Amino acid sequence: MEALVVFLPGDGIGPEVSAAAGQVLQTVAAKWELPLRIREYPIGGASLAQFQTPITREALEACRRAAAVFLGAVGDPRWDDKPREQKPETALLTLRKALNVYANLRPVKVFPVLSRASALREEVVRGTDFLVVRELTGGIYFGEPRGHTERRGWDTMVYLREEVERIARLAFRLARQRRKKVTSVDKANVLEVSRFWRKVVKQVRRGFPDVTLEHLYVDNAAMQMVQNPHQFDVILTANMFGDILSDIGGAVSGSLGLLPSASIGESVALYEPVHGSAPDIAGRGIANPVAAIASVAMMFTHSFRLPQAGRLIEQAIEKTLNEGYGTPDIAGPGIRTVSTREMTGRILENLQKLWEENTTGAVV
Ligand code: NAD
Ligand code: IPM
Ligand code: MN
């Protein structure tokens, strides 16, 4: 049976990086003889322009039926001042909620060859490897009431016990496969919702006595991430804090254009680069495709349960970077600047080489 993969390229650089992701997906699926049916729908500004809604019912239904969903990026300055129902970003929030993908996994790794691309000192970032486990379908992004008038604006940050429990359990389980340390990030010195979060996380930890748990306030966590990113293994945090901290992770790794993510829940998972539609560079063919391609690697590992295929993609990315190729966002000593298309082509070539080495006996 064919597996349905829905592609939602979206806005700005979304379509540019989605094209790269699609090529890698098809190439690798063919090697593993995984039959795919790929369907594409507009989302965000692209959908608003065509259908006057940020996501159509048809697109949502297709995503619900899919084995996996890939999203490029949504957001377009043309829709910046519109009400919520007419904002591109609303499509993404609707989709996450509809698919119940409550956990957003955002790995941050520093490629050795890029440790000089980081805005931070090489010795500070080298070897950094952490995973942000961001709660994705609750918190201040979804709390009611919310609104604004001429004189007042408000949102509500609320978490239910079961929402905190399920994301915390996942973070502890993932930590067991890593270095067994969870850092829960909150603002419990000020917010009631964070005091509740911390209490529930401590209770969940009782089931994982082999995992170390520490708590940091989000302001301190942001500082620590810049000053000493090595200390982190799994960072467990709420929706908005995770959004902010993962962009700092982009600066640590060298570029937001490098960071992939998987949003997982009970059934279908959604794969999305951490970055947005980058209107400042859209249409120029220079977007970094690595975040999108690495998100496809996560799709093979999590949705298709083919971790070797995921690893092959990751190795092809690293080999290409090691050979000194990179888009302008990671320009620096030892990096030859190439376009999105050339970077993708080189990653595909290296994929092929690694595949051939593997099938002739070397280990992937
Ligand atoms: P952004 O992530 O789009 O861009 C931030 C900076 O990083 C820009 O300078 C951009 O050029 C650079 N950048 C991002 N991705 C890159 C890549 N792949 N290659 C090279 N450089 C890259 O954030 P923003 O500018 O604050 O937001 C732009 C729009 O995107 C907004 O409408 C926002 O709401 C939306 N957005 C969407 C998503 C998503 O769809 N998942 C995520 C973040 C922001
Ligand atoms: C992200 C983005 C989204 C978020 C926006 C576009 C809704 O910033 O995926 O990081 O805040 O979750
Ligand atoms: Mn974000």
Side-chain angles (χ1 to χ4, degrees):
M1 248 264 288
E2 287 178 325
L4 172 64
V5 179
V6 171
F7 262 68
L8 307 167
D11 305 319
I13 62 168
E16 301 170 39
V17 301
S18 296
Q23 274 181 286
V24 171
L25 173 65
Q26 283 179 316
T27 305
V28 175
K31 295 197 182 312
W32 263 266
E33 293 172 14
L34 177 72
L36 292 182
R37 188 156 54 92
I38 297 177
R39 287 285 173 276
E40 202 177 291
Y41 296 87
I43 190 173
S47 175
L48 277 158
Q50 208 179 332
F51 301 112
Q52 294 77 50
T53 174
I55 186 163
T56 61
R57 197 167 306 167
E58 196 192 351
L60 263 182
E61 280 312 311
C63 292
R64 281 204 186 90
R65 289 194 311 270
V69 180
F70 179 90
L71 179 128
V74 290
D76 185 320
R78 274 176 296 182
W79 307 89
D80 271 355
D81 299 325
K82 299 283 185 195
R84 188 148 45 91
E85 317 75 63
Q86 288 168 45
K87 282 201 62 72
E89 290 83 349
T90 300
L92 181 53
L93 301 172
T94 306
L95 181 64
R96 288 171 178 168
K97 198 75 175 172
L99 300 181
N100 196 19
V101 286
Y102 61 83
N104 184 211
L105 312 184
R106 297 187 156 183
V108 177
K109 264 186 252 171
V110 175
F111 292 105
V113 64
L114 289 187
S115 51
R116 279 185 296 177
S118 173
L120 307 175
R121 278 209 313 279
E122 191 174 348
E123 64 271 24
V124 172
V125 298
R126 192 175 264 280
T128 292
D129 176 4
F130 60 81
L131 174 69
V132 178
V133 177
R134 169 190 177 196
E135 200 290 325
L136 199 61
T137 52
I140 197 162
Y141 275 50
F142 294 94
E144 301 276 1
R146 62 181 159 192
H148 74 270
T149 63
E150 280 305 310
R151 299 188 47 210
R152 229 158 68 85
W154 62 98
D155 283 281
T156 304
M157 185 157 164
V158 54
Y159 269 111
L160 303 178
R161 169 171 287 275
E162 48 274 30
E163 288 176 327
V164 183
E165 282 176 352
R166 67 183 178 180
I167 192 80
R169 274 197 300 268
L170 179 67
F172 286 116
R173 281 207 301 271
L174 290 168
R176 271 188 174 156
Q177 298 163 22
R178 299 174 49 101
R179 300 192 305 277
K180 293 197 169 65
K181 179 180 169 191
V182 170
T183 305
S184 174
V185 173
D186 62 35
K187 189 71 187 173
N189 50 345
V190 176
L191 303 177
E192 283 299 333
V193 61
S194 283
R195 282 194 273 280
F196 172 72
W197 173 283
R198 198 176 273 219
K199 195 155 109 185
V200 176
V201 170
K202 280 183 185 163
Q203 289 167 356
V204 172
R205 152 88 196 337
R206 291 190 199 132
F208 300 84
D210 53 319
V211 179
T212 307
L213 171 64
E214 64 171 29
H215 305 272
L216 285 184
Y217 299 131
V218 62
D219 46 353
N220 183 22
M223 186 275 282
Q224 298 280 341
M225 193 174 278
V226 171
Q227 185 148 292
N228 176 19
H230 280 122
Q231 67 183 293
F232 296 114
D233 181 18
V234 171
I235 295 176
L236 161 64
T237 192
N239 207 338
M240 187 163 70
F241 300 152
D243 178 44
I244 297 166
L245 291 176
S246 52
D247 265 37
I248 301 178
V252 171
S253 73
S255 170
L256 209 43
L258 296 167
L259 301 191
S261 90
S263 301
I264 66 175
E266 273 123 40
S267 51
V268 54
L270 167 67
Y271 298 86
E272 28 172 341
V274 169
H275 65 73
S277 56
D280 53 339
I281 58 161
R284 292 167 51 193
I286 56 166
N288 193 335
V290 166
I293 293 172
S295 300
V296 170
M298 294 184 87
M299 185 187 291
F300 276 101
T301 302
H302 295 276
S303 286
F304 302 137
R305 305 206 180 279
L306 292 170
Q308 283 181 324
R311 244 185 331 268
L312 178 70
I313 297 171
E314 283 164 7
Q315 287 176 344
I317 292 170
E318 182 148 17
K319 184 166 156 60
T320 309
L321 294 170
N322 286 343
E323 287 169 355
Y325 295 102
T327 42
D329 54 308
I330 51 172
I335 295 286
R336 258 164 298 175
T337 310
V338 293
S339 65
T340 309
R341 198 176 291 208
E342 179 170 353
M343 188 68 188
T344 307
R346 294 201 178 270
I347 291 172
L348 285 165
E349 268 171 39
N350 280 330
L351 235 160
Q352 185 59 29
K353 281 188 199 150
L354 289 163
W355 169 260
E356 281 163 15
E357 279 169 27
N358 184 39
T359 47
T360 55
V363 180
V364 170

